[in-house]
Amino acid sequence: MADITVHVIDREGVQHDLEAPIDMGLNMMELCKASDLPVEGTCGGMALCASCHMYVESAHLEQMPEKSEDEEDMLDEAFFVEDNSRLGCQIKLADLHDGLVVRLAAVG
Amino acid sequence: MIQTDIIIIGAGPCGLFTVFEAGLLKLRCHLIDALPQAGGQCSEIYPKKPIYDIPAYPEVLAGDLIEKLMEQIAPFKPGFTLGERAEFIEKDAEGQFIVKTSHGTAHRAPVIAIAGGLGCFEPRKPPVEGLADFEGHGVEYIIKEPDIYKGKRVVISGGGDSALDWALYLANGVAEEVTLVHRRDSFRAHPDSVQKVLDLAAAGGMRLMTHAEVIGVNGGSDGALAELTIKHKKEGASQLEVDHWIPLFGLSPKLGPIGAWNLNISKNAVEVDTFDYQTNVPGIYAIGDINTYPGKLKLILCGFHEATLMVQSAFKRIHPDKSNVLKYTTVNGVNAF
Ligand SMILES: Cc1cc2nc3c(=O)[nH]c(=O)nc-3n(C[C@H](O)[C@H](O)[C@H](O)COP(=O)(O)OP(=O)(O)OC[C@H]3O[C@@H](n4cnc5c(N)ncnc54)[C@H](O)[C@@H]3O)c2cc1C
């Protein structure tokens, strides 16, 4: 299985192009952490904290499943939430995410 | 002054288990935690989630694990200072440590165990420009004295239980005007409170702004908060004159005062020697999620192990002339204080 490439724009506006394996069950929060990007991921990926809030900037947003109630609830504790806001931990990386662009949200 | 053998900063699972291992060596402990309850992350973030990697518990709810730990350490009568943050550490003339809290409570002991986890749980602060200037001058993240809102115009942000409960409380004859600002029109709070808020807003007793968010703060000539800029999802932005803004977005852990105690820190964690989990300051140990060393894993199991080895070293420090022989708990049982 080939890796995919995703693009993460950090809070300084710098874009990081990351190669991501798709056979390891990684999500975007984990990928960012593993790449030393400033994402806390306090709860480990259960949509129990809001520390991996990011914006999906590419058309991939339309193909993503609807936010779960847990994810919506946790986004209430995030700031500057927009229609394209997601918790990174709820984006499980797969083939269809090749070329994904996300921007890290501001943290409190 | 509270005198003990080991001051434990942080009452998460690792701090709690330290009391047990210390108790077996007849060392007394006192725990300090910024939260009003014991249990650290287990109680604050995921009390209802099952944990599967605690030895001999195929499955245990995080909240139940804490309850069991409290039961296990009860015979050793630990002291608790809860709802206060350990702020300062100093050494007195006799070489004992004095730990003072945010509330001025002083504790004295020959040994400190920092079990601070990911840090102090503190209110999440909106990343709004200039906000810090108004902290204590109209912006509060925790409601300590509801009386200060008497006759005032108050805006509360958030959609959880604390936001709704306080909005209802303040709208009930306390504040002159209460506005609840929330990013969407559903709330994760208790359905009963949600209904009360909707009813009160419909009756004109409270202003409800949904699909909205506070994005700006402005002060008056006295330097206190005077105006908020509120962004509406559909209709652009508006200004609202206020006396107080209370953003209630939950808690998140921050390293906090631990960073100012002259300890070697790397990536928000305290460096320790794996021989006994001592920091670079002799007599100050660090265990659980707060420490780091080559191969560190932030797991409860590992923190328990660290606590066990740490108290052996603490014992030698406190009683340099005594030797301690390992005794199984099965031999003598647990001898309470
Ligand atoms: C959602 C989630 C799921 C998890 N699942 C597992 C799992 O399945 N298995 C597992 O082993 N681990 C799991 N963990 C990790 C586990 O919870 C932590 O390893 C554990 O809580 C660490 O315990 P601790 O005692 O070191 O610190 P914490 O539990 O973080 O407690 C530290 C306490 O110290 C207090 N504190 C910090 N600084 C100060 C100060 N200056 N003054 C006063 N108080 C202070 C804090 O308020 C806090 O209460 C999970 C964590 C989360 C969030």
Side-chain angles (χ1 to χ4, degrees), chain A residues 36 40 42-43 46 48-51 69-83 106-108, chain B residues 41 45-46 49 118 124-128 159 182-184 186 188 213-215 231 233 249-251 253-254 267:
Chain A
D36 276 325
E40 287 291 337
T42 307
C43 82
M46 283 192 272
L48 279 178
C49 74
S51 66
E69 197 144 333
D70 285 347
E71 187 176 357
E72 279 286 7
D73 282 355
M74 262 343 290
L75 280 168
D76 281 357
E77 294 195 357
F79 303 105
F80 308 148
V81 176
E82 303 291 345
D83 287 339
V107 282
Chain B
Q41 295 169 52
I45 306 183
Y46 64 111
K49 290 272 171 193
L118 304 174
R124 276 203 187 90
K125 302 179 176 182
V128 168
H182 184 45
R183 70 169 188 97
R184 55 182 176 142
S186 46
R188 67 185 186 285
E213 181 168 21
V214 175
I215 56 159
K231 187 180 139 199
K233 202 169 168 186
F249 289 90
L251 305 175
K254 289 260 150 61
K267 285 194 182 167

Coordinates of all heavy atoms in Angstrom, one line a residue, chain A residues 36 40 42-43 46 48-51 69-83 106-108, chain B residues 41 45-46 49 118 124-128 159 182-184 186 188 213-215 231 233 249-251 253-254 267:
Chain A
D36 N 6.0 16.1 15.2 CA 6.4 17.2 16.0 C 5.7 18.5 15.7 O 6.3 19.6 15.9 CB 8.0 17.4 16.0 CG 8.6 16.4 16.9 OD1 8.1 16.2 18.0 OD2 9.7 16.0 16.6
E40 N -1.7 19.0 20.9 CA -1.5 18.3 22.2 C -2.1 16.9 22.2 O -1.5 15.9 22.6 CB -2.3 19.1 23.3 CG -1.6 20.4 23.7 CD -0.3 20.1 24.4 OE1 -0.1 19.0 25.0 OE2 0.6 21.0 24.5
T42 N -4.4 15.6 24.1 CA -4.4 15.2 25.5 C -5.2 13.9 25.8 O -4.7 13.1 26.5 CB -5.1 16.4 26.4 OG1 -4.4 17.6 26.1 CG2 -5.0 16.1 27.9
C43 N -6.3 13.7 25.2 CA -7.1 12.6 25.5 C -6.7 11.3 24.7 O -7.3 10.3 24.9 CB -8.6 12.9 25.3 SG -9.2 12.7 23.6
M46 N -9.9 10.3 21.7 CA -11.3 9.8 21.9 C -12.3 10.9 21.8 O -13.4 10.7 22.3 CB -11.4 9.2 23.3 CG -10.7 7.8 23.4 SD -11.2 7.0 24.9 CE -9.9 7.6 25.9
L48 N -12.4 13.5 23.5 CA -12.7 13.9 24.9 C -12.0 15.2 25.3 O -12.0 15.6 26.4 CB -12.3 12.8 25.8 CG -13.2 11.6 25.9 CD1 -12.7 10.6 26.9 CD2 -14.6 12.1 26.4
C49 N -11.2 15.8 24.4 CA -10.7 17.1 24.7 C -10.7 17.8 23.3 O -11.1 17.3 22.3 CB -9.3 17.0 25.2 SG -8.0 16.6 24.0
A50 N -10.4 19.1 23.3 CA -10.6 19.8 22.1 C -9.2 20.3 21.5 O -9.1 21.2 20.8 CB -11.5 21.0 22.3
S51 N -8.2 19.5 22.0 CA -6.8 20.1 21.7 C -6.3 19.7 20.3 O -5.2 20.1 20.0 CB -5.9 19.6 22.8 OG -5.7 18.2 22.7
E69 N -21.9 13.1 17.5 CA -22.3 14.0 18.5 C -21.2 14.3 19.5 O -21.1 15.5 20.0 CB -23.5 13.4 19.3 CG -24.3 14.3 20.1 CD -25.8 14.0 20.1 OE1 -26.2 13.4 19.1 OE2 -26.4 14.4 21.1
D70 N -20.4 13.3 19.8 CA -19.2 13.5 20.7 C -18.3 14.6 20.2 O -17.8 15.5 20.9 CB -18.4 12.3 20.9 CG -19.1 11.3 21.8 OD1 -20.1 11.7 22.5 OD2 -18.7 10.1 21.8
E71 N -18.0 14.5 18.9 CA -17.1 15.5 18.3 C -17.7 16.9 18.3 O -17.1 17.9 18.7 CB -16.8 15.1 16.8 CG -15.8 16.0 16.2 CD -15.4 15.5 14.7 OE1 -15.9 14.5 14.3 OE2 -14.6 16.2 14.1
E72 N -19.0 17.0 18.0 CA -19.7 18.3 18.1 C -19.6 18.9 19.5 O -19.3 20.0 19.7 CB -21.2 18.2 17.7 CG -21.4 18.2 16.2 CD -21.3 19.5 15.5 OE1 -20.9 20.5 16.1 OE2 -21.6 19.6 14.3
D73 N -19.9 18.0 20.4 CA -19.9 18.5 21.8 C -18.5 19.0 22.2 O -18.4 20.0 22.9 CB -20.3 17.3 22.8 CG -21.8 17.1 22.8 OD1 -22.5 17.8 22.1 OD2 -22.2 16.1 23.4
M74 N -17.5 18.3 21.8 CA -16.1 18.7 22.2 C -15.7 20.0 21.5 O -15.0 20.8 22.1 CB -15.1 17.6 21.9 CG -14.7 16.7 23.0 SD -15.0 17.2 24.7 CE -13.9 18.5 25.0
L75 N -16.2 20.2 20.3 CA -15.9 21.4 19.6 C -16.5 22.6 20.3 O -16.0 23.7 20.1 CB -16.4 21.3 18.1 CG -15.5 20.5 17.2 CD1 -16.2 20.3 15.9 CD2 -14.2 21.2 16.9
D76 N -17.4 22.4 21.2 CA -18.0 23.5 22.0 C -16.9 24.1 22.9 O -17.0 25.2 23.4 CB -19.1 23.0 22.9 CG -20.4 22.9 22.2 OD1 -20.4 23.3 21.0 OD2 -21.4 22.5 22.8
E77 N -15.8 23.3 23.2 CA -14.8 23.8 24.1 C -13.6 24.3 23.3 O -12.5 24.6 23.8 CB -14.3 22.6 25.0 CG -15.4 22.3 26.0 CD -14.9 21.4 27.2 OE1 -13.7 21.1 27.2 OE2 -15.7 21.2 28.1
A78 N -13.7 24.3 21.9 CA -12.7 24.9 21.1 C -13.1 26.3 20.7 O -14.1 26.8 21.1 CB -12.6 24.1 19.8
F79 N -12.1 27.0 20.1 CA -12.4 28.4 19.8 C -12.4 28.6 18.3 O -11.7 27.9 17.6 CB -11.3 29.3 20.4 CG -11.2 29.1 21.9 CD1 -10.2 28.4 22.5 CD2 -12.2 29.6 22.7 CE1 -10.2 28.2 23.9 CE2 -12.2 29.5 24.1 CZ -11.2 28.7 24.7
F80 N -13.1 29.6 17.8 CA -13.2 30.0 16.4 C -13.6 28.8 15.6 O -12.9 28.4 14.6 CB -11.8 30.6 15.9 CG -11.3 31.7 16.8 CD1 -10.0 31.9 17.0 CD2 -12.2 32.5 17.4 CE1 -9.5 33.0 17.8 CE2 -11.8 33.6 18.3 CZ -10.4 33.8 18.4
V81 N -14.6 28.1 16.0 CA -15.1 26.9 15.3 C -15.8 27.4 14.0 O -16.7 28.2 14.0 CB -16.0 26.1 16.2 CG1 -16.6 24.9 15.4 CG2 -15.2 25.6 17.4
E82 N -15.5 26.8 12.9 CA -16.1 27.1 11.6 C -16.8 25.8 11.0 O -16.6 24.7 11.6 CB -15.1 27.6 10.6 CG -14.3 28.8 11.1 CD -15.1 30.1 11.1 OE1 -16.2 30.1 10.6 OE2 -14.6 31.0 11.8
D83 N -17.4 26.0 9.9 CA -18.1 24.8 9.3 C -17.1 23.7 8.9 O -17.4 22.5 8.9 CB -18.9 25.2 8.0 CG -20.1 26.0 8.4 OD1 -20.6 25.9 9.6 OD2 -20.6 26.7 7.5
A106 N -6.3 27.9 16.4 CA -5.6 28.6 17.5 C -6.0 27.9 18.8 O -7.1 27.3 18.9 CB -6.1 30.1 17.6
V107 N -5.1 27.9 19.8 CA -5.5 27.2 21.1 C -5.5 28.3 22.2 O -4.9 29.3 22.1 CB -4.5 26.1 21.5 CG1 -4.8 24.9 20.7 CG2 -3.0 26.6 21.3
G108 N -6.3 28.0 23.2 CA -6.4 28.9 24.3 C -5.3 28.8 25.3 O -4.4 27.9 25.2
Chain B
Q41 N -6.4 13.1 35.7 CA -7.1 13.0 34.4 C -8.2 12.0 34.5 O -9.3 12.1 33.8 CB -6.1 12.5 33.3 CG -5.0 13.4 33.0 CD -3.9 12.8 32.2 OE1 -4.1 12.2 31.2 NE2 -2.6 12.9 32.7
I45 N -11.1 14.0 33.0 CA -11.4 13.8 31.6 C -12.2 12.6 31.2 O -13.1 12.7 30.4 CB -10.0 13.8 30.8 CG1 -9.1 15.0 31.2 CG2 -10.3 13.7 29.3 CD1 -7.8 15.0 30.4
Y46 N -12.0 11.5 31.9 CA -12.7 10.3 31.4 C -13.2 9.3 32.5 O -12.9 8.1 32.4 CB -11.8 9.5 30.4 CG -10.4 9.0 30.9 CD1 -10.2 7.6 31.0 CD2 -9.4 9.8 31.3 CE1 -9.1 7.1 31.5 CE2 -8.2 9.3 31.7 CZ -8.0 7.9 31.8 OH -6.9 7.4 32.3
K49 N -14.9 6.2 31.2 CA -14.3 5.3 30.1 C -13.6 4.1 30.8 O -13.0 4.2 31.8 CB -13.3 6.1 29.3 CG -13.9 7.2 28.5 CD -14.3 6.6 27.1 CE -15.1 7.7 26.4 NZ -15.7 7.1 25.2
L118 N -0.1 16.0 33.5 CA 0.1 16.9 32.4 C 0.2 18.4 32.8 O 0.2 19.3 32.0 CB -1.0 16.8 31.3 CG -1.1 15.3 30.8 CD1 -2.3 15.2 29.9 CD2 0.2 14.9 30.1
R124 N -9.8 27.0 30.1 CA -9.3 27.3 28.7 C -9.6 28.8 28.4 O -10.8 29.2 28.6 CB -10.1 26.5 27.7 CG -9.5 25.2 27.4 CD -9.9 24.6 26.1 NE -9.5 23.3 26.0 CZ -10.2 22.3 26.4 NH1 -11.4 22.4 26.8 NH2 -9.7 21.0 26.4
K125 N -8.6 29.5 28.0 CA -8.8 30.9 27.7 C -8.9 31.2 26.3 O -8.1 30.8 25.5 CB -7.6 31.7 28.3 CG -7.4 31.5 29.8 CD -6.2 32.3 30.3 CE -6.1 32.1 31.8 NZ -5.0 32.9 32.4
P126 N -10.0 31.9 25.8 CA -10.1 32.1 24.4 C -8.9 32.9 23.9 O -8.5 33.8 24.5 CB -11.4 33.0 24.3 CG -12.1 32.8 25.6 CD -11.1 32.4 26.6
P127 N -8.4 32.5 22.7 CA -7.3 33.3 22.1 C -7.7 34.6 21.5 O -7.6 34.8 20.3 CB -6.7 32.3 21.1 CG -7.8 31.4 20.8 CD -8.8 31.4 21.9
V128 N -8.3 35.5 22.3 CA -8.8 36.8 21.8 C -7.7 37.8 22.2 O -7.3 37.8 23.3 CB -10.1 37.1 22.5 CG1 -10.5 38.5 22.3 CG2 -11.2 36.2 22.0
G159 N -21.3 26.2 26.1 CA -22.6 25.4 25.9 C -22.7 24.2 26.8 O -23.5 23.4 26.6
H182 N -23.3 31.2 22.3 CA -22.8 29.9 22.0 C -22.7 29.6 20.5 O -23.4 30.2 19.8 CB -23.9 28.9 22.6 CG -23.5 27.4 22.5 ND1 -22.2 27.0 22.7 CD2 -24.2 26.3 22.1 CE1 -22.1 25.7 22.5 NE2 -23.3 25.3 22.1
R183 N -21.8 28.8 20.1 CA -21.5 28.6 18.7 C -22.5 27.9 17.9 O -22.5 28.0 16.7 CB -20.1 27.9 18.6 CG -20.2 26.4 18.9 CD -19.0 25.7 18.5 NE -19.2 24.3 18.6 CZ -19.5 23.4 17.7 NH1 -19.8 23.9 16.5 NH2 -19.7 22.2 17.9
R184 N -23.4 27.2 18.5 CA -24.5 26.5 17.8 C -25.8 26.6 18.6 O -25.8 27.1 19.7 CB -24.1 25.1 17.5 CG -23.7 24.3 18.7 CD -23.3 22.9 18.4 NE -22.9 22.2 19.7 CZ -23.1 20.9 20.0 NH1 -23.7 20.2 19.1 NH2 -22.7 20.4 21.1
S186 N -27.5 23.9 19.6 CA -27.8 22.8 20.6 C -26.7 22.8 21.6 O -25.6 23.4 21.4 CB -27.8 21.4 19.9 OG -26.7 21.3 19.0
R188 N -24.7 20.8 25.0 CA -24.4 19.5 25.5 C -24.7 19.4 27.0 O -24.4 18.4 27.7 CB -22.9 19.1 25.3 CG -21.9 20.0 26.1 CD -20.5 19.7 25.7 NE -19.6 20.4 26.6 CZ -19.3 21.7 26.5 NH1 -19.9 22.4 25.6 NH2 -18.5 22.2 27.3
E213 N -20.1 34.0 18.5 CA -18.8 33.8 19.3 C -18.2 35.2 19.6 O -18.2 36.1 18.7 CB -17.8 33.0 18.5 CG -16.6 32.7 19.2 CD -15.7 31.6 18.6 OE1 -15.9 31.4 17.3 OE2 -14.9 31.1 19.3
V214 N -17.7 35.4 20.8 CA -17.0 36.6 21.1 C -15.6 36.6 20.5 O -14.9 35.6 20.7 CB -16.9 36.7 22.7 CG1 -16.1 38.0 23.0 CG2 -18.3 36.8 23.3
I215 N -15.3 37.6 19.7 CA -14.0 37.6 19.0 C -13.2 38.8 19.4 O -12.0 38.9 19.0 CB -14.2 37.5 17.5 CG1 -15.0 38.7 17.0 CG2 -14.7 36.2 17.1 CD1 -14.8 39.0 15.5
K231 N -19.1 37.9 16.8 CA -19.3 37.5 15.4 C -20.4 36.6 15.3 O -20.6 35.6 16.0 CB -18.0 36.8 15.0 CG -17.9 36.5 13.5 CD -16.6 35.8 13.2 CE -16.9 34.7 12.2 NZ -15.8 33.7 12.1
K233 N -22.6 34.0 12.8 CA -22.4 33.2 11.7 C -23.0 33.8 10.4 O -22.4 33.7 9.4 CB -22.9 31.8 12.0 CG -22.3 30.7 11.1 CD -22.7 29.4 11.6 CE -22.2 28.3 10.6 NZ -22.7 27.0 10.9
F249 N -15.2 27.4 28.8 CA -14.8 26.5 27.8 C -14.1 25.2 28.4 O -13.3 24.6 27.7 CB -14.0 27.1 26.7 CG -14.7 28.1 25.9 CD1 -14.8 29.4 26.2 CD2 -15.4 27.7 24.7 CE1 -15.5 30.4 25.5 CE2 -16.0 28.6 23.9 CZ -16.1 29.9 24.3
G250 N -14.4 24.9 29.6 CA -13.8 23.7 30.2 C -12.4 23.9 30.7 O -11.9 25.0 30.7
L251 N -11.8 22.8 31.1 CA -10.4 22.9 31.6 C -9.4 22.2 30.7 O -9.8 21.2 30.1 CB -10.4 22.2 33.0 CG -11.4 22.8 34.1 CD1 -11.3 21.9 35.3 CD2 -11.1 24.2 34.4
P253 N -5.0 20.9 30.9 CA -3.8 20.9 31.7 C -2.7 21.8 31.2 O -2.4 21.8 30.0 CB -3.4 19.5 31.7 CG -4.0 18.8 30.6 CD -5.1 19.7 30.1
K254 N -2.1 22.6 32.1 CA -1.0 23.5 31.7 C 0.1 23.2 32.8 O -0.2 23.1 34.0 CB -1.4 24.9 31.8 CG -2.4 25.4 30.7 CD -1.6 26.1 29.6 CE -2.2 26.0 28.3 NZ -3.6 26.5 28.1
K267 N 10.5 19.3 27.1 CA 9.2 19.1 26.5 C 8.1 19.0 27.5 O 7.3 18.0 27.5 CB 9.2 17.8 25.6 CG 9.9 18.0 24.3 CD 9.6 16.9 23.3 CE 10.4 17.0 22.0 NZ 10.4 15.9 21.2

